[in-house]
Amino acid sequence: MRDKVTGAQRWVVKIGSALLTADGRGLDRNAMAIWVQQMVALRRQGIDLVLVSSGAVAAGMSRLGWLERPSAIHELQAAAAVGQMSLVKAWESSFAEHNERTAQILLTHDDLSDRKRYLNARSTLRTLLELGVIPVINENDTVATDEIRFGDNDTLAALVANLVEADLLVILTDRDGMYDADPSKNPDAQVIYEARADDPKLDAMAGGSAGALGRGGMQTKLRAARLAARSGAYSVIVGGRIEHVLDRLHAGERLGTLLTPEQCRDGARKQWLAGHLQTRGTLTLDAGATKALTDDHKSLLSVGVTAVQGNFLRGEMVVCVDDQGVEVARGLSNYSSAEATKIIGLCSESIVETLGYMAEAELIHRDNLVIL
Ligand code: GLU
């Protein structure tokens, strides 16, 4: 199974506060430089990388001269706002030393459950990856406090893995991996090398408890791996301080805990698309578009659509029918029904002229299409 790690082309790497800060005294820039070196090595081998990084609160506390973590949420949010600047600056300059470019993305869970914002975030991230830029993501602590409360950057990282269709989610932690018993109580506790993410036995083993700086315990990591598995991604929970951890994982070494999905990536994503959403409208396709979708597995372009029915927004699910009214596919529309009505029959190049902007060249991208 470690070949799944070796072969992964798109990685989401999540690094939590406990690892990023030198015992609460600001950011551990040396540790950051070491991970950057390893991530750069992965990039040079053609791997797409997304980094999910906490550490803003801890960095902010040190900038503000606070020795103790405040308990008031608004103070933590203020610290995060101050610290986020140092955090991205540190990542940006460390990656820049290797001529790699980074981008800051602040997200909330709501952004990813709202269909329209989901598509927007997805297009931005995909574009950044196509440009070879490394997105550095954190929760937007000003408007959401899930991570501050629950250590939920693990969950955010999993949602990002779903969003960018990552093959692999690597959660770096201050333990070597997931143990089959609590290692502080049981000297015989062993790291679990591999398990199915949905194995119910893991719940008891994940136990509770988070460190003083980071909020997330093993349970949130397990939940994150399960979420990532829904879109077919593999997850590794592994010690971030293990020497050359990312290089060695990539080389196939059995480090940390590998949690495997039950389904392959495409199957999982299509199931999610098909089962997840109510349909809001119908697009009628001409014979050319029907063939492009069903036989050639292409995206749906506006030029091949002859009629739009229903009332839908960007990001909502629509049914595609052929010229006989037979359903051939379903997918997430990049345009609302009002916009689609204006651009059907037109080639993609004319979308800007007609609407004054172009969201995407396709009406439905093939990754967001399920052929029936
Ligand atoms: N997103 C926040 C950060 O990056 C929260 C982490 C925490 O609660 O320490 O610092």
Side-chain angles (χ1 to χ4, degrees):
M1 274 295 176
R2 290 288 167 151
D3 55 321
K4 296 291 181 192
V5 178
T6 319
Q9 280 304 307
R10 185 164 287 178
W11 293 39
V12 174
V13 177
K14 188 259 165 179
I15 312 184
S17 300
L19 281 177
L20 275 164
T21 56
D23 299 326
R25 287 186 295 273
L27 296 170
D28 185 345
R29 285 161 205 275
N30 293 334
M32 290 169 87
I34 292 170
W35 291 310
V36 164
Q37 242 168 33
Q38 299 178 44
M39 288 190 270
V40 168
L42 293 172
R43 283 278 313 127
R44 303 275 149 91
Q45 292 175 71
I47 288 169
D48 290 338
L49 258 184
V50 177
L51 175 60
V52 176
S53 169
S54 310
V57 169
M61 280 167 53
S62 109
R63 287 288 281 151
L64 292 165
W66 296 353
L67 297 176
E68 263 169 50
R69 188 180 164 100
S71 50
I73 299 278
H74 62 272
E75 285 173 350
L76 290 164
Q77 289 177 288
V82 172
Q84 182 64 27
M85 308 273 292
S86 318
L87 184 65
V88 279
K89 207 163 96 188
W91 285 123
E92 150 80 16
S93 48
S94 192
F95 276 110
E97 277 177 30
H98 303 270
N99 291 320
E100 291 288 339
R101 292 154 306 172
T102 45
Q104 172 183 243
I105 307 249
L106 297 176
L107 285 176
T108 69
H109 294 190
D110 289 350
D111 294 330
L112 304 183
S113 50
D114 175 287
R115 305 307 308 158
K116 188 168 150 196
R117 284 193 266 162
Y118 169 91
L119 277 191
N120 292 344
R122 185 170 183 273
S123 325
T124 309
L125 283 166
R126 288 176 74 104
T127 307
L128 288 168
L129 291 174
E130 274 161 29
L131 292 168
V133 173
I134 302 165
V136 180
I137 301 179
N138 195 358
E139 179 167 85
N140 188 351
D141 297 305
T142 304
V143 295
T145 53
D146 292 336
E147 197 200 357
I148 283 172
R149 286 175 210 253
F150 312 116
D152 244 8
N153 253 11
D154 295 323
T155 309
L156 189 68
L159 293 173
V160 167
N162 296 152
L163 190 73
V164 300
E165 285 142 51
D167 316 283
L168 184 67
L169 167 65
V170 178
I171 301 181
L172 296 184
T173 157
D174 49 2
R175 301 249 195 113
D176 285 344
M178 234 182 107
Y179 283 86
D180 56 4
D182 184 348
S184 61
K185 297 195 187 113
N186 187 338
D188 297 329
Q190 300 279 334
V191 169
I192 304 163
Y193 282 110
E194 192 181 310
R196 280 255 306 252
D198 62 357
D199 186 340
K201 288 201 290 292
L202 296 175
D203 293 278
M205 297 173 186
S209 131
L213 283 166
R215 311 280 98 195
M218 230 7 119
Q219 258 158 359
T220 69
K221 295 181 176 33
L222 176 59
R223 199 178 58 196
R226 286 180 174 156
L227 256 176
R230 280 213 233 153
S231 59
Y234 288 73
S235 294
V236 183
I237 299 170
V238 63
R241 296 201 184 92
I242 297 174
E243 222 178 312
H244 292 290
V245 57
L246 298 176
D247 304 340
R248 286 164 65 188
L249 277 179
H250 184 238
E253 216 176 298
R254 278 160 54 100
L255 296 176
T257 304
L258 175 68
L259 296 167
T260 65
E262 80 241 57
Q263 273 207 44
C264 71
R265 200 177 74 183
D266 286 355
R269 180 166 170 79
K270 301 248 145 139
Q271 189 185 48
W272 172 76
L273 272 177
H276 196 245
L277 298 163
Q278 269 184 312
T279 58
R280 301 278 179 194
T282 305
L283 302 175
T284 308
L285 317 190
D286 65 16
T290 305
K291 181 178 174 302
L293 259 57
T294 51
D295 297 348
D296 310 334
H297 303 290
K298 296 251 173 69
S299 297
L300 177 65
L301 303 180
S302 45
V303 66
V305 179
T306 56
V308 179
Q309 277 171 296
N311 224 325
F312 51 88
L313 300 171
R314 167 169 160 79
E316 289 191 318
M317 178 77 103
V318 295
V319 174
C320 302
V321 298
D322 67 10
D323 51 10
Q324 304 300 309
V326 178
E327 182 171 339
V328 291
R330 295 176 170 212
L332 303 182
S333 176
N334 282 331
Y335 292 90
S336 69
S337 45
E339 292 166 325
T341 308
K342 292 188 193 145
I343 60 173
I344 56 172
L346 302 180
C347 60
S348 306
E349 291 73 43
S350 312
I351 295 179
V352 182
E353 243 167 73
T354 311
L355 297 179
Y357 53 83
M358 180 167 77
E360 258 94 13
E362 312 83 17
L363 192 44
I364 305 180
H365 192 275
R366 66 189 162 126
D367 291 348
N368 292 329
L369 261 177
V370 188
I371 310 300
L372 301 170

